[in-house]
Structure formats: C-alpha cells, structure tokens
Amino acid sequence: MSKPAPQPAPDAPVVAPASLFQSDCGDKPCPEPVLPTATPEQQAALTDGVRMRENPAEWAFVRLSKLIEDFEKGLDKDEEVGARIVGLPGDGTMSIEDVGFWGPDFIMFLGKNADGKPVRLIQHYAQINVLLDVRKKPEERAARRIGFQLSEMVGKTNPT
C-alpha cells in the first residue's frame, strides 16, 4: 500500500512549476514581445530590466506595467490612461489609478467609474483582457501617469 503524497502547509508559498514557462531565460529579458510595428529600440524599452517571475500573477503584472507605461508615452498633457473592461457595469469604463497583484493568481485594477465612484476590479491573471484608452483629465488637476509608479514597484520586486 502506497503512502499518500505529503500536503504542503496551508501557508506555504505557491510556486508555479517550471513547465509553465518556455525557458528560465537566464540573465536576459524574456520572453520577447512580438509587435510587428515596433522598432528594435521600442521593443528594447519594453523589456529593459524585466526578468521572468515564478509567480504568474506577478509576471503578468510586470508586463502589464510596462505596456501601460509605453501606452502613456503617447498621451498629451491633458490625457491619462483609462480602461474598457468587459463585465463592468454601465459603459464598462474606468479610470485606472493603480494596478497591483496578489500572487499567485490575482491582478487588481483600482480606479473610478464614469460617475467618479471607486471601483476595484479583481481578475485572475489568465483572464486579463483590458483595452487601454485615453481619457481627458479632470480640469482641477494635472494628468496622472501610473506607468512610472508601476515600474518602481516592478523594480522593487525584480529578482536579482
């Protein structure tokens, strides 16, 4: 009679199996984004400093942060990033004020809906479908850029 497999402690960290990833990437950024219209410089900017993460939610967050930062580069001083997300009530739009993750599986979008009410969207990392769009900033403040803040957070979690 065989013994049952040992169960991990309830508070043990969850680590994604290496089989989820094509390679361990070593010391170089990976995987490379495939953007047919991007110049080599634009692609290099997207992957600069990015290292693969074992935590799939964190890995999705890292790449999402870079994509938001890149999108914001095309905005003028009176615009900021917003999102159109299937499943949100009303027109399905929100102003994104922050993005976070709770590994191993949740990505969180925090912001305000069209009525200015706070919203928090919690999605499984495998279910992320976000259309970044441009919104006019409110008159009373400067346009907010979250990409830089997200990049700082990525830097703090970047494995050495």
Side-chain angles (χ1 to χ4, degrees), residues 76-93:
D76 72 24
K77 65 180 181 63
D78 294 326
E79 297 173 329
E80 54 192 27
V81 69
R84 193 172 298 273
I85 303 172
V86 175
L88 283 181
D91 64 0
T93 62

Side-chain angles (χ1 to χ4, degrees), residues 33 35 46 61-72 132:
L35 300 166
L46 276 175
F61 169 81
V62 166
R63 291 174 292 147
L64 181 63
S65 299
K66 283 294 212 175
L67 291 167
I68 289 172
E69 185 177 23
D70 183 64
F71 182 81
E72 287 178 330
L132 300 177

Side-chain angles (χ1 to χ4, degrees), residues 9 23 31 34 51 61 72 78-79 106 110 134 140 146 152:
S23 74
V34 177
R51 299 289 176 258
F61 169 81
E72 287 178 330
D78 294 326
E79 297 173 329
F106 288 147
L110 298 90
V134 179
E140 67 274 4
I146 64 169
E152 284 183 343

Side-chain angles (χ1 to χ4, degrees), residues 4 12 16 29-30 35 45 69 74 77 81 87 89 101 112 119 145 148 153:
C30 75
L35 300 166
E69 185 177 23
K77 65 180 181 63
V81 69
F101 68 94
K112 293 199 169 35
V119 293
R145 296 290 184 259
F148 178 74
M153 191 171 174

Side-chain angles (χ1 to χ4, degrees), residues 12-112:
V14 176
V15 178
S19 62
L20 285 180
F21 307 108
Q22 293 178 354
S23 74
D24 68 2
C25 302
D27 291 329
K28 67 178 187 161
C30 75
E32 297 290 324
V34 177
L35 300 166
T37 59
T39 66
E41 293 79 19
Q42 290 168 323
Q43 286 199 210
L46 276 175
T47 59
D48 183 41
V50 174
R51 299 289 176 258
M52 194 128 169
R53 308 303 211 278
E54 287 186 19
N55 177 331
E58 183 179 358
W59 180 223
F61 169 81
V62 166
R63 291 174 292 147
L64 181 63
S65 299
K66 283 294 212 175
L67 291 167
I68 289 172
E69 185 177 23
D70 183 64
F71 182 81
E72 287 178 330
K73 289 176 184 175
L75 302 181
D76 72 24
K77 65 180 181 63
D78 294 326
E79 297 173 329
E80 54 192 27
V81 69
R84 193 172 298 273
I85 303 172
V86 175
L88 283 181
D91 64 0
T93 62
M94 67 181 284
S95 292
I96 300 174
E97 296 177 351
D98 208 353
V99 180
F101 68 94
W102 186 356
D105 53 355
F106 288 147
I107 299 288
M108 297 174 286
F109 297 89
L110 298 90
K112 293 199 169 35

